[in-house]
Amino acid sequence: MLKLSLVALLIFSLAWRLTPTACRQTNASPNIQQIIAKQLQSYMDLKTHPCENFYQYACGNWQIQQQEQHSPRDGQWVKDRAPFHGQLIPSDTLGLIDQSVNRKLECVLRRKNESSSELDSTILEQMRRYYRSCKRLRPYNLKKYLLILPPSNGTQWPSVGRGWRPERFDWILTLGRLRLHGLNGVLVREDVLPRWDDSRTYCIYVNKPSRQETLPMGEGAVIELLLDIGQTKRTANALSRLVNDFEQKLHRLQELEDDELGAREMQLGYLETYLPQLRWLSFMRQVRTDFELDLHSTLIIENIPYLRALSDLMDSEEPETVCSYIMLKWLTFLKQQGPADISRSECVASLRRAMPLASSWLVGQQFSHPDSESNVRSLFQRLKARFTQILAENRLRLSSPLLLILQQKLRAVHLQLGFFQPDKAENLQQYHVHIDLSGHSFYGNQLVLLRKRVEANHNLVFMSSTNSSDSNVSYLAESWQASNSSPLYVRPRNLVLVPHGLLQLPIWHRNISDLQQHAVIGFALAHELAHGFDITGIDYDALGNIMGPIEEIGANMHFRQGFNCLQQQMGTGSNWIDEKLADFVALRLSYESFFGLRVDKKRRDPLMPQFSQRQLFFISFAQFFCSRTPVLSQGSQSEAHLKHAVNELRVIKTLENFQEFSAEFGCDKKSKMQASHRCRLW
Ligand SMILES: [Zn+2]
């Protein structure tokens, strides 16, 4: 997916002034082209030569412009926040977009109910209750969750009160209880996902956590959490060392290889005899509290050697260490769900995480516009048409049956605007009708909503395939993707999903030029489309089943050459190969789709006559990735630094592999913006 790296294009600041916190409707400026032209030029650093560092050339002044636009003289919307320290400048375009979405939603939540529809008012009322309960938090206190939900009915958490009974603690039971409330990837992963061989039905997958998920939290982070819930420094120090030792041992289990048999489908009853030490039934009974378990139902289980070793590790550890570890992971998870601070917009951000389906529906109501929708759809069709031509050119010289499979798959890839389809609004009401939220109980609300999501996902397993339409993506409601504005590709659905929130300035306006459309949203759509044909995506066929022709294509010499070339360029370590591939394909698709249109290529933009159309295309594309360079501080190798570096590299690597770029800017062979070997796969 495009991750958090779509970036600032154009007119943000002017648009910003038109849409401050004051909850009034604004009309788009009729001079959108002028605004864009002015903004585009203001971000550029013309002292840098485009062949030296194109990112700096296109984005060098972005941050300065943002700082000016976000300075406190726009005082209105900073008044209920901490003093201004430059922290309010979003790190990149998606940050800008999400800030703007949050602000708009906040206005809706604060308005009196204007809607006449019963459906709207039910869902809106629940969203308001959540929002109000968040606003009433003084302060946000993680310990409250621990009091509401103990590890089991027989014991309290070791760090809370005096009710800790180690003999009553059972790690798998606690894990099941927290899984029901949204925790996952701690000691084990349990997911409800489309079946690999029949993507319209669902199955439970059991696996080890990812490598990322078992990375030790670090003693500093552990101590901070423990102090948050009222531990003394001394206790926190001692406990953090114990937990850290445990985490190291746990992380080492990652090295265990899966046995030859790999993923296996088993009946629930059989798993209990095959792997009794895991006691999976105890786990499932916590997750499916209201249902009698069907021992004949199946699940898909991977990494059995890990699961065996995990059970042994659990037996050898002190219950207090294990229980504290689970508690700390639980608190970390809850902290991500809650508001970062108790400001209005943070409460909206938390609302979007807690109620992703309802929020997506509301964002759709606020942001969708029929013109935008049809423009984006026809842009997507143009990109697909160009990709169809590229496949037909058959650079890789694939056999005809193989080519046919790829063409079928490309035909199957479709676009959906909004996470939640309007015609599914009744389902949405069904989903919310039994949720009991209170305007006074933030912690309780949070747990109710988390539980509802996990229950709804597990109910999918029992749904017959005829009830699920091809594009049903509700199973993603548990993941973070559901709560932001980044576009994404859903592999088992062959679906490019564009949240409505994305279709706004600075990325989109229905009156922006064709060139801007192609260079920005066109690139984003093409990037997601390309994920259907990256190394992972090829594994999925036109039905979304993991039965794609990856082996046959992998055996093709030309494909391997392209793949090796990409791998050699991975030296920067900044990017997954699939992301790099998607960027390369996307630039070509969006560029060729636009310049393949009947456009007068000689004509220059009268507002920016100093640039050719092709130059403008590359500048607009690059400005999509402009981002903030974080201020160096303690622990400065932060995520924000990494993100910035990734954005810069993405622009440079993508352009230096694109011949038309160096030709247009006259970069010679020795310049930095030219790769020694250009990679191309498709
Ligand atoms: Zn991507």
Side-chain angles (χ1 to χ4, degrees):
M1 57 180 310
L2 218 50
K3 296 205 175 141
L4 294 172
S5 30
L6 290 179
V7 176
L9 212 220
L10 326 175
I11 68 151
F12 176 71
S13 56
L14 290 172
W16 196 255
R17 296 231 171 114
L18 297 170
T19 50
T21 41
C23 296
R24 60 191 155 86
Q25 296 293 318
T26 52
N27 295 318
S29 159
N31 291 321
I32 201 91
Q33 310 298 343
Q34 284 176 347
I35 297 172
I36 286 178
K38 190 172 173 207
Q39 200 71 67
L40 180 138
Q41 293 169 87
S42 76
Y43 290 161
M44 296 180 71
D45 168 14
L46 295 173
K47 292 193 297 294
T48 303
H49 195 280
C51 299
E52 273 300 299
N53 180 337
F54 197 77
Y55 182 83
Q56 178 64 22
Y57 173 74
C59 294
N61 285 334
W62 184 84
Q63 186 160 345
I64 297 166
Q65 292 294 321
Q66 297 302 327
Q67 266 155 357
E68 274 180 23
Q69 300 309 329
H70 288 78
S71 67
R73 63 193 151 77
D74 275 0
Q76 181 63 29
W77 61 271
V78 286
K79 75 175 194 279
D80 63 341
R81 300 191 187 211
F84 180 76
H85 293 301
Q87 299 299 321
L88 296 174
I89 302 170
S91 57
D92 55 22
T93 301
L94 269 195
L96 299 176
I97 290 276
D98 274 324
Q99 238 184 27
S100 160
V101 170
N102 291 351
R103 200 163 291 135
K104 211 160 183 177
L105 287 184
E106 187 195 318
C107 291
V108 179
L109 294 169
R110 284 164 62 193
R111 262 203 309 265
K112 288 265 175 292
N113 209 351
E114 296 159 3
S115 167
S116 53
S117 137
E118 199 184 318
L119 163 73
D120 293 10
S121 59
T122 312
I123 302 170
L124 259 178
E125 181 48 34
Q126 284 185 329
M127 297 176 86
R128 288 199 173 106
R129 278 188 204 158
Y130 181 94
Y131 175 70
R132 280 201 295 270
S133 72
C134 178
K135 292 275 292 135
R136 286 184 178 128
L137 282 176
R138 290 284 184 275
Y140 182 46
N141 181 354
L142 283 172
K143 194 174 174 179
K144 293 271 170 73
Y145 293 112
L146 301 178
L147 296 170
I148 299 178
L149 195 68
S152 76
N153 293 336
T155 174
Q156 287 294 332
W157 297 97
S159 312
V160 179
R162 294 198 181 134
W164 167 238
R165 305 270 178 278
E167 70 285 358
R168 302 263 180 90
F169 169 69
D170 178 349
W171 68 275
I172 195 81
L173 195 143
T174 299
L175 224 49
R177 175 178 270 227
L178 300 184
R179 175 70 194 102
L180 176 62
H181 293 87
L183 187 71
N184 205 355
V186 176
L187 304 176
V188 287
R189 270 210 81 81
E190 190 259 1
D191 294 288
V192 175
L193 296 170
R195 276 191 68 97
W196 68 276
D197 54 352
D198 178 11
S199 66
R200 284 184 305 162
T201 61
Y202 294 86
C203 187
I204 293 176
Y205 287 76
V206 181
N207 203 343
K208 65 177 181 184
S210 70
R211 188 167 286 275
Q212 190 68 27
E213 284 166 334
T214 56
L215 273 180
M217 294 176 266
E219 289 188 31
V222 168
I223 291 171
E224 198 182 308
L225 279 171
L226 289 170
L227 294 178
D228 267 4
I229 57 164
Q231 294 292 295
T232 62
K233 251 188 169 157
R234 236 182 81 193
T235 327
N237 277 328
L239 192 53
S240 76
R241 277 193 293 277
L242 289 174
V243 170
N244 193 266
D245 286 348
F246 170 73
E247 286 190 294
Q248 306 286 349
K249 287 185 222 166
L250 181 68
H251 193 58
R252 278 199 289 277
L253 298 189
Q254 284 285 345
E255 286 156 25
L256 289 172
E257 295 285 331
D258 203 355
D259 54 25
E260 322 76 74
L261 295 166
R264 266 186 275 182
E265 183 156 6
M266 276 183 205
Q267 289 190 344
L268 203 50
Y270 180 68
L271 177 61
E272 201 60 10
T273 42
Y274 184 80
L275 206 61
Q277 62 270 53
L278 188 60
R279 291 178 293 119
W280 193 249
L281 282 182
S282 303
F283 180 93
M284 285 311 295
R285 286 202 179 98
Q286 295 296 315
V287 181
R288 304 287 295 165
T289 46
D290 300 334
F291 297 85
E292 188 66 35
L293 289 178
D294 174 5
L295 296 181
H296 297 293
S297 65
T298 64
L299 44 81
I300 294 172
I301 183 161
E302 288 176 76
N303 284 296
I304 289 170
Y306 166 89
L307 295 170
R308 279 206 185 96
L310 175 73
S311 309
D312 293 345
L313 178 64
M314 290 298 122
D315 290 343
S316 66
E317 286 291 323
E318 285 296 325
E320 185 170 348
T321 310
V322 176
C323 190
S324 298
Y325 170 74
I326 296 175
M327 178 191 79
L328 287 158
K329 289 295 232 184
W330 171 231
L331 292 176
T332 308
F333 167 74
L334 291 166
K335 218 173 164 179
Q336 289 159 358
Q337 298 291 317
D341 59 70
I342 307 167
S343 63
R344 285 173 180 161
S345 67
E346 268 305 316
C347 280
V348 178
S350 168
L351 169 75
R352 288 176 72 193
R353 290 189 287 269
M355 302 179 75
L357 294 176
S359 305
S360 169
W361 162 80
L362 190 56
V363 171
Q365 279 206 332
Q366 297 299 307
F367 287 88
S368 61
H369 187 286
D371 287 354
S372 287
E373 177 143 3
S374 64
N375 286 349
V376 172
R377 285 198 181 281
S378 57
L379 179 56
F380 185 69
Q381 285 312 324
R382 277 201 293 283
L383 295 164
K384 255 180 87 167
R386 180 61 204 136
F387 205 173
T388 308
Q389 285 169 354
I390 289 178
L391 283 183
E393 287 161 17
N394 199 8
R395 291 180 66 253
L396 300 179
R397 282 175 245 155
L398 299 168
S399 67
S400 324
L402 209 47
L403 203 56
L404 197 66
I405 292 175
L406 293 175
Q407 285 164 336
Q408 274 172 346
K409 160 128 181 185
L410 182 57
R411 268 199 296 278
V413 178
H414 56 295
L415 174 75
Q416 178 173 312
L417 290 172
F419 201 84
F420 199 84
Q421 291 301 85
D423 61 332
K424 300 275 166 40
E426 249 177 54
N427 299 358
L428 188 64
Q429 193 182 23
Q430 281 292 321
Y431 185 97
H432 285 89
V433 80
H434 296 299
I435 298 180
D436 190 15
L437 299 185
S438 141
H440 293 272
S441 164
F442 177 79
Y443 308 96
N445 290 347
Q446 188 81 273
L447 294 178
V448 164
L449 289 166
L450 286 167
R451 178 173 172 158
K452 176 70 194 174
R453 250 191 268 178
V454 176
E455 284 176 344
N457 259 10
H458 282 82
N459 289 341
L460 291 172
V461 176
F462 304 102
M463 208 172 65
S464 67
S465 64
T466 45
N467 289 340
S468 63
S469 75
D470 271 352
S471 300
N472 191 342
V473 288
S474 62
Y475 73 95
L476 291 177
E478 253 200 278
S479 60
W480 65 271
Q481 285 103 323
S483 59
N484 72 18
S485 301
S486 173
L488 63 145
Y489 185 72
V490 187
R491 290 192 171 98
R493 299 279 174 263
N494 285 319
L495 176 72
V496 173
L497 204 155
V498 175
H500 283 295
L502 188 72
L503 298 184
Q504 57 171 319
L505 296 170
I507 286 182
W508 173 266
H509 186 281
R510 58 187 186 279
N511 295 337
I512 61 171
S513 69
D514 274 352
L515 184 143
Q516 298 289 349
Q517 283 190 15
H518 281 79
V520 186
I521 282 279
F523 174 81
L525 293 174
H527 174 100
E528 301 307 335
L529 173 62
H531 275 316
F533 298 83
D534 65 21
I535 312 300
T536 320
I538 286 292
D539 222 0
Y540 291 77
D541 65 16
L543 296 171
N545 299 333
I546 306 187
M547 294 178 175
I550 184 75
E551 282 176 25
E552 293 88 332
I553 290 191
N556 174 286
M557 188 182 73
H558 304 286
F559 182 89
R560 276 209 313 277
Q561 276 169 356
F563 179 75
N564 291 341
C565 179
L566 279 168
Q567 257 189 336
Q568 274 160 18
Q569 287 201 13
M570 296 306 290
T572 50
S574 61
N575 226 331
W576 298 106
I577 198 157
D578 282 346
E579 291 303 325
K580 189 157 275 205
L581 177 57
D583 280 348
F584 289 10
V585 173
L587 182 66
R588 180 170 302 283
L589 279 183
S590 52
Y591 181 89
E592 293 179 353
S593 297
F594 177 68
F595 289 102
L597 289 177
R598 283 173 196 232
V599 288
D600 177 1
K601 290 158 192 123
K602 293 267 161 31
R603 195 180 64 84
R604 293 190 173 228
D605 187 330
L607 296 168
M608 292 176 279
Q610 69 274 39
F611 303 117
S612 70
Q613 288 214 40
R614 289 172 201 270
Q615 286 173 337
L616 266 184
F617 186 95
F618 292 121
I619 297 166
S620 300
F621 153 77
Q623 289 191 342
F624 195 62
F625 292 94
C626 296
S627 61
R628 175 162 59 100
T629 320
V631 187
L632 279 172
S633 60
Q634 288 156 323
S636 64
Q637 283 313 311
S638 61
E639 211 180 310
H641 276 88
L642 200 65
K643 208 194 282 177
H644 179 83
V646 168
N647 281 329
E648 181 166 348
L649 279 170
R650 280 180 78 176
V651 169
I652 292 176
K653 294 284 159 197
T654 307
L655 290 176
E656 65 176 32
N657 276 279
F658 197 63
Q659 216 244 308
E660 291 82 341
F661 166 78
S662 35
E664 194 59 27
F665 281 94
C667 303
D668 62 39
K669 281 233 157 65
K670 285 191 192 120
S671 78
K672 287 190 184 147
M673 288 300 301
Q674 277 218 51
S676 48
H677 290 287
R678 290 200 182 91
C679 301
R680 181 170 174 186
L681 202 67
W682 293 111

